[in-house]
Amino acid sequence: MARLIIYENSNGDSTIFETFELATTRILIGSDPDNNLVLQAPAIDPSHASLELRNDSWVLQDLGGPGGTDVNGRMIAGPYLLSHNDLIKLGPVKMTFLAEEMAPKVPTPPTTPLPAAVSSQAAAPLLKGRVWFALVAAGTLGIIFVIVFLLVVADYLNVLEITDLLPLLSLLLHAG
C-alpha cells in the first residue's frame, strides 16, 4: 500500500512524525477536521490538497488555497502524477511519497510521538460532510413520503379529510 512519510528537518536530521497509509482512493489533506489527513500547521489551508488513485497511479492536486503545494522544489498548478520518493511540501509540512510496490512491507514506527500539530484520521467508516448530509436529506424525504402516504390512505378510508388539515386549501376548494 502506498503511503506518505510526514517529517520535519531540524539540524540536518529528519524526524518522522507519522506514516500515513493511503488506504482509500481519495485522500483530502488540510487543516479542516473533516479531511482524511489533518495538518494543523501555519500556512495549511482548510482544504489544501487531494490525492487520488487514478489508473493505478497516485495524483496530487493543489486545491487552490494561498498556501500552495510544492513537489520536489517546484510549485504545482494542476494534477501532478507522483513517483516513488517524491518530496511534497505543504507549508512547513514535508512528506515523502512511497509508491505501493516500493514501500516497505512493515510499517515504519514513528521515532517521535505525534505532536498535536500533525494528526490524521484513519479512513474509517465515519460519515462526514456531504455523505452525512445526503443520508439525513434522504431520511427526511422518506419520512415526509410516509406521512403523505398515510394521510392519503386515511383520506381514502374516510378516517379524516385532508382538506380539514389545510384550511387555505379548503377555502380554495370550496370557493370554486
Side-chain angles (χ1 to χ4, degrees):
M1 178 177 305
R3 61 188 67 164
L4 293 173
I5 307 298
I6 305 168
Y7 67 95
E8 175 185 71
N9 276 342
S10 60
N11 301 331
D13 294 331
S14 294
T15 302
I16 296 175
F17 285 137
E18 180 176 4
T19 300
F20 184 83
E21 301 283 336
L22 303 181
T24 62
T25 58
R26 180 163 165 83
I27 309 289
L28 295 175
I29 305 169
S31 61
D32 190 297
D34 284 338
N35 290 314
N36 304 98
L37 177 56
V38 180
L39 303 173
Q40 293 294 334
I44 299 292
D45 304 319
S47 295
H48 197 105
S50 70
L51 276 167
E52 268 188 70
L53 184 61
R54 298 182 192 167
N55 299 323
D56 297 324
S57 297
W58 284 96
V59 176
L60 176 68
Q61 175 130 11
D62 181 76
L63 296 178
T69 301
D70 179 297
V71 178
N72 299 326
R74 295 187 358 222
M75 295 298 280
I76 63 169
Y80 183 90
L81 183 63
L82 289 173
S83 299
H84 181 67
N85 274 339
D86 274 347
L87 175 63
I88 303 166
K89 188 175 174 193
L90 306 173
V93 179
K94 297 177 184 174
M95 299 178 249
T96 300
F97 172 76
L98 298 179
E100 185 171 352
E101 64 277 354
M102 304 289 203
K105 299 298 181 199
V106 178
T108 308
T111 57
T112 306
L114 183 64
V118 180
S119 65
S120 70
Q121 297 173 348
L126 296 174
L127 299 177
K128 300 186 244 181
R130 294 181 189 147
V131 174
W132 177 86
F133 179 78
L135 289 175
V136 169
T140 303
L141 288 174
I143 291 169
I144 291 170
F145 176 77
V146 168
I147 291 171
V148 169
F149 177 77
L150 291 174
L151 287 173
V152 169
V153 169
D155 186 57
Y156 179 76
L157 296 174
N158 292 322
V159 174
L160 64 90
E161 291 282 329
I162 292 179
T163 55
D164 293 340
L165 300 175
L166 305 170
L168 181 61
L169 184 61
S170 178
L171 289 175
L172 292 173
L173 291 174
H174 291 94

